[in-house]
Amino acid sequence: MRSIDDVDVLGRRVLVRSDLNVPLDLSGTGDIADDGRIRASLPVISKLSGRGARVIVLAHLGRPQGATFEERAAAGPSLRPVAARLGELLGRPVSFATDVTGPSAGETVSSLGDEDVAMLENVRFEPAETSKDDAERAAFAGRLARFGELYVGDGFGAVHRRHASVYDVPGLLPRVAGDLVLEEVEVLRQLTTDPARPFGVVLGGKKPSDKLAVIGNLLNLADRILIGGGMAYTFLAARGHEVGNSVLEADQIPAVKAATDEAERRGVEFILPVDLVAATRFAPDAEHSVVPVTDFPANREGVDAGPQTRALFAEKLADAQTVFWNGPVGVFEFPAFAAGTRAVAEAVAAVDGLTVVGGGDSAAAVRAFGIPEKSYGHISTGGGASLEYLEGKMLPGLTALEEDS
Ligand code: ADP
Ligand code: MG
């Protein structure tokens, strides 16, 4: 992969695909809850602008719903607050187009001077961005590609998506990898190339269906896999435990059982929670208490790891030489249910070897706890992307950058 240092950008219109999919405040104000991904995307944008490029940033936010651009644009979320935040961090205004390939985008791009930076509206407002139909995506990609003379793939958090702005646009232009993508790939390469042992993995987050595929490949790599968060309930149910109203993917139980059996055959240790914080409802001020996994109340839902689980996880990480952590082990957005995730964040920070935190929410949690980022070897901006890399999958957004132009 070539980098931006290998190309001349002065006066050229450069399309930069960044990952600016920041978490928004859960209370629905639309405020940016954590701007880590904007900060991580800053170096490339700033460098290109500094070298006289005309920078056009492409990015997505959330999962817009609706059949047409108009419906999606009306429902949001808009990237406008993200453009404003990027402008503050850059120290120069970022002009914003209210559409993706429409008249506003056209005007915004044509009025760019050298060093100027613009952002187009949420690419996922265009249903073609994520279409499974190659021709539909290609047509949209063609319209986007006309805006640029060079493509920079820097949106690591989206490289596992076969989406128009990630996969199809780079095929139509000279292309290079951005600094963030190069850095992320290098760390993942280290994790998968003869890692120091024991290698511990912590997986949390909401649903096991997101992460079961990676568990298969992690069995080749890790010595211990600690399962927490919402996904733990399906694992607990697979072992015959009651889980009340907790998030459960009953259809994943057979797959979870198969993964557990395979781990046993290979001598990989699977560690599940032993106690949980059970709340009366999903709310920051819900009544809650600690319960053992063997006695989960029917009308409650699990929202965090209990104190014994926190200690168990810390113990299982204490002697690790390599750690990969993806996914909060509780609903950390609610301070009352953040203790489990904090315990994991602290245990990982205390490890001496290579530690990688992957995932937008996990990274946001670390920063919300005020743990210095340098306590970790690397904080990845891409949860899904880093998991798919570890799965050994081809990542479309990386493949697209590798081919010769
Ligand atoms: P990352 O972004 O780090 O990859 P995920 O997106 O997979 O992580 O998962 C993060 C989400 O999982 C958080 O919003 C968190 O609230 C949620 N979560 C964690 N534990 C639970 C739980 N017990 N019940 C419901 N949601 C949970
Ligand atoms: Mg997430």
Side-chain angles (χ1 to χ4, degrees):
M1 282 189 280
R2 293 188 302 159
S3 82
I4 61 170
D5 298 330
D6 300 325
V7 283
D8 185 20
V9 298
L10 178 65
R12 293 175 86 194
R13 282 176 282 112
V14 180
L15 285 176
V16 181
R17 177 49 159 110
S18 297
D19 172 21
L20 304 176
N21 190 26
V22 290
L24 300 175
D25 210 314
L26 274 193
S27 51
T29 55
D31 289 347
I32 296 167
D34 177 76
D35 66 2
R37 280 180 167 160
I38 308 177
R39 290 176 183 276
S41 303
L42 204 57
V44 154
I45 295 169
S46 171
K47 218 196 241 183
L48 288 167
S49 161
R51 285 169 50 193
R54 305 173 175 208
V55 184
I56 303 143
V57 180
L58 307 175
H60 75 279
L61 185 61
R63 295 181 180 238
Q65 303 296 317
T68 61
F69 170 84
E70 287 73 19
E71 279 179 42
R72 291 178 175 212
S78 168
L79 270 177
R80 189 185 282 279
V82 174
R85 185 80 190 108
L86 176 64
E88 285 167 24
L89 293 169
L90 264 180
R92 63 181 303 135
V94 172
S95 51
F96 186 70
T98 55
D99 54 30
V100 189
T101 57
S104 175
E107 279 158 34
T108 304
V109 170
S110 60
S111 63
L112 282 175
D114 295 357
E115 298 184 20
D116 284 349
V117 179
M119 189 184 296
L120 309 184
E121 183 54 288
N122 192 345
V123 288
R124 289 197 190 165
F125 282 178
E126 290 287 350
E129 164 70 3
T130 57
S131 174
K132 296 266 186 284
D133 182 321
D134 291 346
E136 215 174 292
R137 271 198 336 271
F140 170 56
R143 292 198 299 278
L144 274 176
R146 275 203 292 276
F147 291 146
E149 299 161 86
L150 173 73
Y151 177 93
V152 178
D154 202 41
F156 179 73
V159 292
H160 58 314
R161 307 287 189 196
R162 191 178 288 265
H163 291 168
S165 67
V166 176
Y167 177 71
D168 301 274
V169 178
L172 302 171
L173 291 170
R175 52 198 170 263
V176 300
D179 299 8
L180 178 63
V181 157
L182 291 171
E183 182 190 326
E184 297 265 14
V185 168
E186 172 54 23
V187 171
L188 291 170
R189 196 193 56 76
Q190 286 174 32
L191 272 189
T192 49
T193 314
D194 200 17
R197 303 196 172 276
F199 185 166
V201 172
V202 187
L203 289 180
K206 202 162 175 186
K207 298 173 297 179
S209 54
D210 292 345
K211 300 187 180 172
L212 266 178
V214 73
I215 291 178
N217 202 48
L218 285 174
L219 295 175
N220 299 320
L221 210 59
D223 302 298
R224 283 173 206 153
I225 303 179
L226 288 60
I227 306 279
M231 66 184 286
Y233 300 93
T234 305
F235 281 79
L236 291 168
R239 290 197 181 171
H241 295 299
E242 292 299 327
V243 297
N245 295 332
S246 307
V247 286
L248 171 67
E249 288 187 312
D251 60 333
Q252 297 292 322
I253 288 178
V256 160
K257 279 189 172 145
T260 312
D261 292 348
E262 183 61 20
E264 208 164 305
R265 268 196 294 279
R266 290 169 182 245
V268 176
E269 207 182 344
F270 248 119
I271 296 126
L272 294 185
V274 289
D275 62 351
L276 296 159
V277 177
T280 50
R281 60 203 167 89
F282 189 86
D285 58 349
E287 253 179 72
H288 57 277
S289 56
V290 174
V291 300
V293 292
T294 48
D295 192 18
F296 200 95
N299 290 321
R300 296 231 175 170
E301 69 178 283
V303 288
D304 198 7
Q308 287 186 42
T309 304
R310 293 169 216 159
L312 173 67
F313 280 18
E315 181 199 315
K316 294 290 181 185
L317 292 170
D319 66 338
Q321 298 297 308
T322 307
V323 175
F324 175 75
W325 168 34
N326 171 264
V329 300
V331 186
F332 77 97
E333 294 92 336
F334 301 154
F337 309 134
T341 303
R342 180 187 281 275
V344 169
E346 287 172 352
V348 176
V351 165
D352 266 338
L354 174 62
T355 53
V356 178
V357 180
D361 293 296
S362 311
V366 161
R367 287 188 286 264
F369 298 145
I371 301 174
E373 293 188 25
K374 63 172 175 5
S375 316
Y376 303 93
H378 179 69
I379 299 186
S380 173
T381 53
S386 49
L387 287 171
E388 290 201 15
Y389 185 101
L390 295 180
E391 259 173 70
K393 276 197 187 162
M394 297 277 282
L395 304 182
L398 296 182
T399 313
L401 296 177
E402 264 163 16
E403 292 156 16
D404 279 347
S405 50

